[in-house]
Amino acid sequence: MVRSRSKAQLRIYSLEAGPFQELDEWFDSFSILWEERLDNFEEYMLVHKKKGDQ
């Protein structure tokens, strides 16, 4: 994830994009699941709010 190199007395760090892209793809696999669950929760709350308003 991190690459380092020396330049005289300095150590220079840089991030490698590859591992972060893999992590992003892994997170995306869960986003579909959470989007569906949150949509269901929103629908549930709206139904119960309407029942409370009556």
Side-chain angles (χ1 to χ4, degrees), residues 32-48:
I32 295 168
L33 172 73
W34 280 106
E35 185 175 336
E36 181 181 320
R37 289 182 179 188
L38 290 172
D39 287 346
N40 290 341
F41 179 67
E42 179 184 25
E43 184 178 329
Y44 173 84
M45 294 302 291
L46 289 172
V47 167
H48 281 47

Side-chain angles (χ1 to χ4, degrees), residues 4 6-7 12 23-24 29 41-42 44 46 51 53-54:
S4 67
S6 298
K7 184 176 181 182
I12 300 169
L23 188 59
D24 187 49
S29 69
F41 179 67
E42 179 184 25
Y44 173 84
L46 289 172
K51 287 182 181 178
D53 290 345
Q54 294 178 353

Side-chain angles (χ1 to χ4, degrees), residues 1-43:
M1 294 181 96
V2 178
R3 177 183 290 183
S4 67
R5 64 183 173 95
S6 298
K7 184 176 181 182
Q9 294 178 335
L10 298 174
R11 184 160 300 275
I12 300 169
Y13 296 93
S14 60
L15 297 175
E16 295 291 324
F20 288 101
Q21 290 170 341
E22 292 175 28
L23 188 59
D24 187 49
E25 290 171 8
W26 183 75
F27 280 128
D28 279 346
S29 69
F30 289 98
S31 69
I32 295 168
L33 172 73
W34 280 106
E35 185 175 336
E36 181 181 320
R37 289 182 179 188
L38 290 172
D39 287 346
N40 290 341
F41 179 67
E42 179 184 25
E43 184 178 329

